[in-house]
Amino acid sequence: MEQHPMRSYSAEVDYEEMVDLTKMDGEERDELLRRLGHKRILESCEQTKRDGHAPW
């Protein structure tokens, strides 16, 4: 797995990082989970569910 450079906690999360999330070590995973981009992805998924759309 390619190591991603340290990013600001307000940084975006890219597709490869989301795919690799379960393969990351604890410190790298925790850093990604603190990013604003990850929070926005989760909020978008929750809104989709509330709106009654089927999960993809």
Side-chain angles (χ1 to χ4, degrees):
M1 175 172 69
E2 177 183 338
Q3 291 295 320
H4 301 284
M6 290 300 288
R7 300 181 188 192
S8 157
Y9 293 138
S10 64
E12 296 301 318
V13 176
D14 66 33
Y15 174 78
E16 283 186 28
E17 290 173 312
M18 288 300 292
V19 170
D20 292 341
L21 187 60
T22 60
K23 302 174 197 169
M24 292 178 180
D25 66 27
E27 187 175 317
E28 187 178 19
R29 182 179 54 248
D30 291 347
E31 185 272 331
L32 186 142
L33 295 176
R34 288 189 293 263
R35 291 190 209 163
L36 183 57
H38 184 264
K39 179 180 178 184
R40 285 196 298 251
I41 290 169
L42 292 181
E43 289 172 351
S44 176
C45 292
E46 290 169 0
Q47 183 63 51
T48 299
K49 186 176 178 180
R50 284 192 300 272
D51 290 346
H53 298 287
W56 49 92

